[in-house]
Amino acid sequence: MELSPVAMRAFAGLLKDRTGQELAASRHWRIETALKPLLRDRELPSFDSLAAGLADRRDIKLADAVVEALLNHETFFFREQAAFNMLMAGPVEALAAARGGTRRLRIWCAGCSTGQEAYSIAMAFADAGDRWRAWTVEIIGTDVSASIVGRAVEGCYSQFEIQRGLPVRQMMRWFTPDGDDWRANADLRRMVRFERHNLLDPAPFPGTADIILCRNVLLYFAAEERTRVFDGLAATIAGDGCLMLGAGETVLGNTTRFEPDAAQRGFYRPVA
Amino acid sequence: MKTCLVVDDSKVIRKVARHILETLEFNVAEAGDGREALAYCQDTPPDVVLLDWNMPVMSGMEFLRALGTSGMSPRPKIVFCTTENGVGHIRAAIEAGADEYVMKPFDRETLESKLQIVGLA
Ligand SMILES: C[S@@+](CC[C@H](N)C(=O)[O-])C[C@H]1O[C@@H](n2cnc3c(N)ncnc32)[C@H](O)[C@@H]1O
Ligand SMILES: [Mg+2]
């Protein structure tokens, strides 16, 4: 089955409108693989007919399904373990020292996918003994995809998902078998809040976030939209807050409102 | 190069594990049961043992206990890798001194991440 330039433009246009992400034409095969199950579900004969269905605009669910299929949701627990340890030992401790008065920290996982990142942070705090006992640590996970946010709220993971990155002791402490899956226990789920939110829109909460994780999200954004997202994050982060990107991502060349933290690779500070 | 001893009575599983481990740049040795594994460890201690539960001659648990009393130091990391996926088994393995636990079926990502957790990948 062929993906015509017209259909390609329709899918790319939709995705960019909805999420800011760009579809590289060089990734044709990936787009075809991603959308084929949808053709089958909808009993559509071709990518062109799918594109025509989008043009019809009455079927909002179809557009949602296309966007959904085109998004990359790959994630796992404690992704880049070393960076996680650094986050807890460095920026988190530094902010805690500055927040001794209120004993409140707010952490925003922007583009959290199915929740592993946010739950990892929650476990890192909860497993630190008494260190955070007197603190209120608010962890907010958001994602543009409603169905993915639903999965994050459920906290239910397949055997492959639960084993990827998660140490067995933490799996046993915080999860319980549920059929073939493993489900986050209520005490873990209570530590995290999930919401649907598009990074192209203003922040989903009033006030500021002390730490923002936006990892492996902005990779595929168009340049202009990426800058817009960084501007939005800069407006939301506390003056002494810290932004964490994925390995191999940077603010350099994308925004002047953040600068690399001289002391810690992978972390960025808002520019006053 | 790190060495991993794959202990499983299934030749197919050993082959799959070997293939993945070699792409992760491990030196791979194989044993078909716990007793063979014990002999191998006493001779050439590996960095990590990927350990099946159910095997003839000597099971994974029996191997783990024997290794514990052998006084080998440093002891290799032990990663159970088994179809025994119930919490009872997992708990017993941890109590017996296993460092990590892989529930079969597993894939490359699972194995790589568990080896990272025990500090080896
Ligand atoms: C590859 S996952 C990364 C998940 C996690 N942060 C990690 O590093 O493992 C990227 C996520 O970003 C989400 N995303 C893409 N565009 C977005 C947007 N405009 N607003 C919010 N989330 C978005 C996707 O739905 C996807 O779940
Ligand atoms: Mg067996």
Side-chain angles (χ1 to χ4, degrees):
Chain A
M1 209 180 300
E2 279 291 303
L3 182 57
S4 70
V6 176
M8 175 72 191
R9 268 199 300 280
F11 302 144
L14 174 68
L15 186 70
K16 188 163 172 203
D17 273 3
R18 293 284 199 93
T19 73
Q21 296 200 26
E22 238 162 14
L23 270 187
S26 60
R27 293 164 67 84
H28 250 198
W29 62 271
R30 217 194 78 75
I31 299 160
E32 292 177 9
T33 323
L35 291 179
K36 261 186 195 147
L38 188 58
L39 290 189
R40 222 172 301 131
D41 278 5
R42 296 284 183 135
E43 297 180 349
L44 292 167
S46 65
F47 291 115
D48 284 331
S49 52
L50 179 58
L54 289 178
D56 186 2
R57 301 233 174 243
R58 271 169 305 190
D59 193 348
I60 302 170
K61 285 218 175 91
L62 184 65
D64 286 349
V66 169
V67 171
E68 195 77 12
L70 290 173
L71 288 173
N72 169 1
H73 298 300
E74 192 188 10
T75 188
F76 48 95
F77 290 100
F78 296 102
R79 185 172 194 168
E80 296 147 35
Q81 212 181 355
F84 249 94
N85 297 342
M86 239 159 85
L87 172 70
M88 295 305 291
V92 167
E93 285 297 342
L95 276 158
R99 300 283 186 278
T102 58
R103 297 193 174 221
R104 291 187 80 89
L105 281 176
R106 181 186 270 164
I107 300 172
W108 179 19
C109 293
C112 66
S113 187
T114 37
Q116 286 92 325
E117 181 178 79
Y119 287 127
S120 298
I121 294 203
M123 288 185 275
F125 275 95
D127 287 333
D130 286 337
R131 174 68 185 89
W132 304 103
R133 176 140 298 167
W135 285 72
T136 306
V137 180
E138 198 184 343
I139 302 168
I140 307 162
T142 63
D143 201 281
V144 70
S145 158
S147 70
I148 284 293
V149 169
R151 286 208 50 205
V153 170
E154 273 302 300
C156 229
Y157 300 100
S158 73
Q159 188 172 297
F160 286 103
E161 290 168 331
I162 199 74
Q163 301 202 85
R164 196 164 171 204
L166 184 62
V168 66
R169 285 166 182 77
Q170 276 166 307
M171 179 184 88
M172 294 291 281
R173 163 68 183 90
W174 296 108
F175 293 82
T176 303
D178 180 1
D180 289 335
D181 295 336
W182 289 72
R183 178 150 198 234
N185 296 338
D187 51 354
L188 178 58
R189 280 184 277 126
R190 259 198 305 274
M191 290 184 241
V192 186
R193 187 174 93 225
F194 292 102
E195 268 171 55
R196 204 202 80 89
H197 170 258
N198 190 336
L199 277 165
L200 299 173
D201 296 334
F205 44 79
T208 56
D210 299 302
I211 290 175
I212 301 178
L213 287 84
C214 188
R215 304 162 73 216
N216 309 297
V217 176
L218 296 173
L219 252 50
Y220 305 115
F221 272 54
E224 196 181 309
E225 279 73 9
R226 190 183 295 142
T227 300
R228 204 169 116 200
V229 171
F230 278 125
D231 288 349
L233 297 180
T236 306
I237 202 163
D240 57 354
C242 181
L243 168 71
M244 180 182 188
L245 299 177
E249 293 182 291
T250 181
V251 301
L252 299 174
N254 294 311
T255 180
T256 51
R257 302 198 50 188
F258 285 97
E259 61 191 10
D261 184 325
Q264 284 160 119
R265 238 183 104 219
F267 297 94
Y268 301 85
R269 301 288 179 180
V271 175
Chain B
M1 215 164 162
K2 303 257 160 63
T3 303
C4 180
L5 175 64
V6 178
V7 189
D8 203 302
D9 56 332
S10 156
K11 205 172 164 182
V12 177
I13 300 276
R14 293 203 304 268
K15 195 170 160 189
V16 171
R18 168 184 286 276
H19 177 75
I20 295 174
L21 287 160
E22 283 176 351
T23 67
L24 297 172
E25 300 191 335
F26 274 83
N27 242 325
V28 181
E30 297 180 25
D33 62 61
R35 187 179 299 165
E36 252 183 58
L38 201 57
Y40 183 92
C41 285
Q42 275 152 358
D43 195 43
T44 35
D47 297 290
V48 55
V49 177
L50 194 66
L51 185 62
D52 186 20
W53 192 296
N54 298 304
M55 292 177 290
V57 188
M58 187 190 262
S59 74
M61 269 305 217
E62 288 163 343
F63 164 83
L64 188 50
R65 294 209 183 88
L67 194 68
T69 53
S70 76
M72 176 185 290
S73 154
R75 201 202 68 175
K77 298 283 183 195
I78 304 292
V79 178
F80 256 108
C81 182
T82 167
T83 49
E84 298 292 357
N85 294 349
V87 291
H89 280 87
I90 301 175
R91 201 163 285 133
I94 293 173
E95 274 162 18
D99 297 286
E100 262 303 332
Y101 203 97
V102 172
M103 301 178 277
K104 289 175 183 164
F106 61 92
D107 60 7
R108 185 182 196 280
E109 278 72 32
T110 307
L111 206 50
E112 182 175 20
S113 90
K114 291 295 185 180
L115 290 164
Q116 269 168 7
I117 289 169
V118 300
L120 286 174

